[in-house]
Amino acid sequence: RGPFCLCAAPRTWVLRRARPRPPRRSRDPVAGLLPARPSLSSPGLPFSWIGRGRCGIAMCGIFGYLNCHVIDRDVVEALLTGLRRLEYRGYDSAGLAFDVSSCGNDAGLETVVVKQSGNIDKLEAAVEDLHLENVSVNEVQAAIAHTRWATHGVPSIVNSHPQVSDPSHGFVVVHNGIITNYRALRDFLISEGMAFESSTDTEVIPKLCKYIYERLSEPVSFSELVSQVVGELEGAFALLFKSKHYPGELVGCKCGSPLLLGVKGNESVMFNCIDGDGEIDDANANANAAECESSPGSQKLLRVCSPRKVGSEFFFASDASAIVEHTKRVVVMEDNDIVHLKDGSYAIFTFKSRSKSSGGSLKGRLTEISRVLETLEIGVEQIMKGGYDHFMQKEIHEQPEALVETMRGRVMLEMLPEPDHESSLGAKSTSGTKQAELPKNPSIKLGGLEAHFHEIIKSNRLIFIACGSSFHACLAVRQLVEELTGIPVSMELASDFLDREAPLFRSDTCFFVSQSGETADTLKALHYAKAKGALLIGITNTVGSSISRETVCGIHLNAGCEIGVASTKAYTCQIVAIVMIALKLSEDSISKSKRRKEILGDLLQLPSLVKAVLREESKIEALARELANEKSLLVFGRGYNFATALEVALKVKEVSLMHSEGILAGELKHGPLALIDESMPAIVVATRDALREKMWSTIQQLLARKGRLILLVSKDDEDMAKCFDSTQGVRVIKVDTVCDCLQPVLNIVPFQLLSYHLTVLRGFNVDQPRNLAKSVTVE
């Protein structure tokens, strides 16, 4: 339907036309080295994780490092630091592989593999125990590292990555993903005399490398060998390869799972400039990279033609957080890409189907291509704790700034003194602006959606598809979207949506909401909706994510990097983003103008009101001390705040490991009331809105059963506060009042703080809860 644009004015975003589907690939044996076998996937599917079996991407972390003529870098320290930046993704074991040299030359290189079950501190201790003082200081150093989240085989040293081909470490591989046909490959390799040690699906990859390498009729490059190996794999994966047969080289491959290449060093690179229509501008073909970068507002993209680096460093990583402290210049790899690092340069290839005329030979299967060298917009400070004890605490306190960034350039203000002057939010702080001083006629501008608003308005249904906290954010705004647009809104948990194979039509518009943009179930649902012809819109916090690339258009939250597993600032920013979409869709409705103006006025005050809630943290910590030894917690909400009840329960259970349940207050007498007694703590979200009287009734019913209540009420609701402030066994938390659709943004903040302090007091890991990972990229 057109390009995907992440609307983040006044910043300039690259418009990319959707890539054509990869060509169909044959399943005949690779280069005649492997016997023909039945495919485990449907015939004719593209070489992509899309549709290649019902699988997801494991939540592992990959880090690779290669330098050329850089001898002052501690390779092992670089690997460990990279892994620490990926800890938030979740892991249960870790490992790394690097070269040591006793002779100081390539002939004396030996690859050392160190693996450990548990955290990275244990891995670092294991490395120190080796007392290695002869880590390679050759002109080129190549090393890889990995954090594993177990999918095949229990967490253990033998199942940790890197996985190797043999005791001499001829081929070493780290893998993020799932190989769906690993059993067939494993059985074949066992029949060929190879022995397996681990229970992982990954081990077949290095052993397959060895099998093919030993049977080559003529030498091939490392990338060509990798292409043969990857051609036999089915599933979803990102891979890094290292080999003693190709010293000083690394090869990375992406097929579904995220993988970035960071580039740092002295540049002597020839660039072509590509104009907005995708045509090469020969007049600028020899422009220097720095000259091209000096015009950030230019609409031309950079294509690397013949990269050569002197004194260069390269970084592979699953996430930008592991790269940004080294360099902000990255290549975002796309599905079917292979990147080959060698001699201080890099080359990028993509797969091409084997033709019958080539007789199944390797020639023609790899095609060298170019990718845009992009600049990361996140700063190093975003991946540091910045004086806070934990990332979750930091990200809770970052919410006022995150909300401003989400609205920046999107809430357009026409100031009263100068009626014709427009300025974007954030030029000056508007958080303290009083209602009487609000700008005249504020409006919403969402550049990435502009071309599709007419189509959205004509939709028969708006369907929000998400998981976890993202689903709760959508639920919090569902009522407003229906009210302002008059279009029926459906809410779908992505996994259930897929299980039911829910009916979709071309007249439907689907919104896919995900902080990471890589959530497996949400991506699967996206592919399902695409096949049905629905309009696809993405809402994500991660530029270059799969959702941002595969949807037609969308919004980038600009909330900043979120490292803590529990979503905090992304949740509140998602609510604000969807509110802005609803406001934009209704801007032509005269009957809704008063409602829109009320919402816009309160929208501008949100950052300062969130700050006011954060200043009450000491009171929330005292409440957490009272609840720290409890076994269960119930949370009641209604209307807009039903989503708040669900989100509070999720936050409490996922980080503090306390059983909690979010309950629709209207269902109280249909079962949950049986749980209420003097030993059961219950939170009731009862801020002022149209359902206040019904929530009052709920509170009275709970008190009649001697419930221990924690009430969240509005500061200006004096009747509610006075009535229950002095009631025995009732604790009252007060927040400011905004319009009902924005109240969930304020209401969740004290309970984010509550879940954080509960976790600290109960002695659990705040940023990496047990069994959980930040990006849920496996089904």
Side-chain angles (χ1 to χ4, degrees):
R1 295 175 188 263
F4 179 95
C5 174
L6 295 173
C7 46
R11 303 174 186 171
T12 301
W13 291 92
V14 174
L15 296 180
R16 290 187 182 178
R17 299 191 181 278
R19 290 186 66 205
R21 291 175 66 86
R24 298 189 174 205
R25 74 194 260 266
S26 168
R27 298 302 305 163
D28 55 304
V30 175
L33 294 177
L34 295 180
R37 54 177 171 77
S39 174
L40 298 183
S41 65
S42 300
L45 290 174
F47 179 60
S48 168
W49 79 289
I50 301 171
R52 298 183 65 197
R54 190 172 174 80
C55 65
I57 312 165
M59 296 164 282
C60 307
I62 286 177
F63 187 77
Y65 173 69
L66 184 143
N67 68 35
C68 184
H69 303 291
V70 179
I71 61 174
D72 57 348
R73 170 79 74 175
D74 187 329
V75 175
V76 175
E77 182 62 29
L79 294 178
L80 291 171
T81 301
L83 292 184
R84 293 188 192 282
R85 300 289 179 253
L86 298 171
E87 279 186 304
Y88 76 97
R89 295 172 65 88
Y91 72 106
D92 46 50
S93 55
L96 44 83
F98 54 92
D99 293 330
V100 296
S101 174
S102 57
C103 304
N105 53 52
D106 288 347
L109 284 180
E110 178 186 354
T111 300
V112 173
V113 176
V114 185
K115 302 190 288 185
Q116 192 61 248
S117 179
N119 60 32
I120 295 173
D121 291 336
K122 292 183 179 179
L123 176 65
E124 184 175 14
V127 174
E128 291 175 353
D129 289 344
L130 297 177
H131 303 291
L132 296 173
E133 299 178 355
N134 55 341
V135 176
S136 170
V137 291
N138 292 278
E139 291 185 353
V140 178
Q141 302 178 80
I144 58 178
H146 185 268
T147 54
R148 177 177 184 255
W149 197 87
T151 57
H152 294 73
V154 299
S156 65
I157 293 178
V158 70
N159 286 333
S160 302
H161 297 202
Q163 289 290 319
V164 299
S165 59
D166 51 54
S168 67
H169 304 161
F171 290 92
V172 185
V173 174
V174 294
H175 166 216
N176 175 10
I178 294 176
I179 307 301
T180 57
N181 65 331
Y182 83 99
R183 291 182 182 177
L185 292 172
R186 184 186 182 105
D187 291 344
F188 168 75
L189 293 170
I190 290 175
S191 70
E192 293 294 317
M194 289 194 172
F196 283 77
E197 297 179 354
S198 76
S199 303
T200 68
D201 54 339
T202 306
E203 192 177 2
V204 301
I205 303 174
K207 293 192 183 299
L208 188 58
C209 288
K210 178 182 179 182
Y211 177 85
I212 293 177
Y213 180 80
E214 291 176 346
R215 288 159 178 79
L216 290 172
S217 58
E218 58 184 21
V220 298
S221 68
F222 200 3
S223 55
E224 290 172 328
L225 176 67
V226 167
S227 73
Q228 293 192 43
V229 172
V230 173
E232 291 302 312
L233 304 179
E234 295 177 359
F237 46 81
L239 302 167
L240 280 188
F241 295 80
K242 174 179 168 58
S243 174
K244 70 177 184 180
H245 305 295
Y246 300 92
E249 300 182 36
L250 287 182
V251 174
C253 174
K254 177 189 184 304
C255 186
S257 186
L259 192 61
L260 303 175
L261 172 67
V263 180
K264 178 183 179 181
N266 299 321
E267 309 279 348
S268 58
V269 185
M270 299 294 286
F271 283 90
N272 282 343
C273 289
I274 306 173
D275 61 27
D277 296 325
E279 300 297 329
I280 295 178
D281 184 355
D282 292 327
N284 295 303
N286 294 322
N288 183 273
E291 294 173 357
C292 292
E293 283 191 333
S294 65
S295 303
S298 170
Q299 297 302 310
K300 295 184 177 182
L301 311 180
L302 298 180
R303 173 176 286 174
V304 181
C305 294
S306 178
R308 285 285 170 186
K309 311 285 178 184
V310 178
S312 302
E313 294 178 279
F314 300 93
F315 307 86
F316 280 112
S318 300
D319 192 281
S321 60
I323 294 178
V324 67
E325 62 188 292
H326 303 291
T327 179
K328 290 191 174 185
R329 308 191 66 198
V330 299
V331 175
V332 180
M333 294 174 62
E334 299 189 17
D335 282 348
N336 310 335
D337 280 359
I338 288 180
V339 174
H340 188 179
L341 304 183
K342 180 182 179 181
D343 298 332
S345 66
Y346 66 92
I348 305 176
F349 304 90
T350 191
F351 276 95
K352 189 176 181 181
S353 295
R354 286 171 286 175
S355 63
K356 293 181 180 180
S357 60
S358 66
S361 68
L362 180 65
K363 295 181 179 179
R365 291 189 60 212
L366 284 181
T367 302
E368 187 165 5
I369 57 171
S370 15
R371 290 276 179 251
V372 175
L373 194 61
E374 302 179 15
T375 300
L376 293 174
E377 295 191 3
I378 66 172
V380 177
E381 68 280 357
Q382 293 188 35
I383 62 171
M384 303 297 181
K385 293 178 182 175
Y388 292 93
D389 294 329
H390 302 91
F391 282 111
M392 182 180 177
Q393 184 186 29
K394 171 176 178 275
E395 287 153 10
I396 291 171
H397 284 268
E398 285 178 340
Q399 286 179 106
E401 293 75 19
L403 291 170
V404 169
E405 290 302 318
T406 298
M407 293 185 279
R408 187 186 300 278
R410 291 163 176 164
V411 180
M412 309 304 294
L413 312 180
E414 185 179 346
M415 308 305 292
L416 283 171
E418 301 179 39
D420 296 328
H421 173 69
E422 288 190 349
S423 65
S424 63
L425 181 72
K428 290 185 178 180
S429 175
T430 60
S431 58
T433 306
K434 297 180 181 179
Q435 185 71 24
E437 299 172 353
L438 284 177
K440 183 180 178 182
N441 300 326
S443 61
I444 300 295
K445 181 178 178 62
L446 302 175
L449 303 180
E450 293 288 343
H452 300 279
F453 277 123
H454 185 67
E455 191 174 356
I456 298 171
I457 287 294
K458 284 189 171 184
S459 300
N460 288 340
R461 284 189 303 171
L462 304 179
I463 305 173
F464 287 85
I465 302 171
C467 302
S469 291
S470 296
F471 178 82
H472 298 160
C474 298
L475 184 62
V477 196
R478 173 180 61 178
Q479 184 176 336
L480 177 72
V481 177
E482 289 177 328
E483 175 190 347
L484 293 184
T485 65
I487 304 172
V489 175
S490 296
M491 300 291 305
E492 296 284 356
L493 285 165
S495 57
D496 181 59
F497 180 75
L498 288 168
D499 292 342
R500 291 176 11 242
E501 297 185 356
L504 275 180
F505 307 95
R506 293 183 62 85
S507 58
D508 294 331
T509 295
C510 296
F511 293 83
F512 298 91
V513 186
S514 167
Q515 188 280 141
S516 67
E518 302 290 348
T519 308
D521 285 321
T522 307
L523 277 170
K524 280 279 190 180
L526 188 155
H527 303 146
Y528 175 82
K530 182 182 290 187
K532 298 292 184 179
L535 177 63
L536 313 179
I537 299 175
I539 301 175
T540 177
N541 193 40
T542 308
V543 178
S545 63
S546 295
I547 286 180
S548 68
R549 293 197 308 271
E550 297 188 34
T551 46
V552 173
C553 56
I555 291 181
H556 179 232
L557 298 179
N558 294 336
C561 186
E562 191 176 68
I563 292 178
V565 166
S567 180
T568 51
K569 62 180 180 179
Y571 172 76
T572 52
C573 289
Q574 284 170 343
I575 293 176
V576 169
I578 300 172
V579 166
M580 290 192 293
I581 292 175
L583 292 171
K584 181 65 178 178
L585 291 174
S586 64
E587 65 180 0
D588 292 334
S589 174
I590 297 175
S591 63
K592 302 291 193 303
S593 60
K594 183 178 179 180
R595 173 71 160 154
R596 291 182 69 258
K597 188 173 182 179
E598 175 194 6
I599 296 170
L600 279 165
D602 285 350
L603 198 61
L604 298 176
Q605 298 184 66
L606 270 183
S608 63
L609 296 179
V610 171
K611 284 184 180 179
V613 177
L614 292 171
R615 286 195 288 268
E616 304 295 323
E617 183 172 5
S618 59
K619 296 179 181 179
I620 304 300
E621 184 177 2
L623 176 60
R625 294 183 184 279
E626 296 179 18
L627 296 174
N629 295 320
E630 299 295 336
K631 302 295 184 182
S632 292
L633 179 68
L634 302 181
V635 191
F636 295 93
R638 192 165 190 157
Y640 285 103
N641 283 308
F642 175 43
T644 304
L646 293 176
E647 180 64 9
V648 172
L650 177 61
K651 286 291 159 287
V652 170
K653 73 178 68 170
E654 70 179 335
V655 292
S656 70
L657 308 188
M658 177 192 295
H659 171 260
S660 54
E661 184 178 352
I663 301 172
L664 182 65
E667 295 295 301
L668 177 62
K669 286 178 283 193
H670 298 278
L673 194 56
L675 297 173
I676 301 300
D677 60 21
E678 63 275 6
S679 64
M680 174 63 74
I683 294 172
V684 181
V685 184
T687 46
R688 185 189 290 275
D689 58 20
L691 301 176
R692 174 183 178 275
E693 297 304 321
K694 292 184 177 182
M695 291 307 301
W696 187 296
S697 175
T698 298
I699 294 170
Q700 296 292 355
Q701 292 180 62
L702 294 173
L703 287 175
R705 275 75 180 179
K706 300 181 181 180
R708 293 173 51 199
L709 302 190
I710 301 160
L711 305 184
L712 182 72
V713 303
S714 299
K715 288 181 179 179
D716 61 357
D717 193 345
E718 296 182 1
D719 291 342
M720 184 84 77
K722 287 181 180 179
C723 181
F724 300 113
D725 247 341
S726 58
T727 304
Q728 186 176 3
V730 176
R731 294 292 303 271
V732 177
I733 304 171
K734 300 177 184 178
V735 294
D736 290 295
T737 302
V738 291
C739 62
D740 50 9
C741 63
L742 296 176
Q743 194 69 51
V745 175
L746 291 183
N747 290 354
I748 194 60
V749 176
F751 298 116
Q752 291 174 343
L753 292 169
L754 177 66
S755 61
Y756 166 76
H757 287 292
L758 277 174
T759 309
V760 173
L761 292 168
R762 289 163 67 89
F764 297 117
N765 190 323
V766 176
D767 293 326
Q768 297 159 38
R770 183 177 68 197
N771 301 334
L772 299 180
K774 181 61 177 175
S775 299
V776 184
T777 50
V778 62
E779 290 185 276

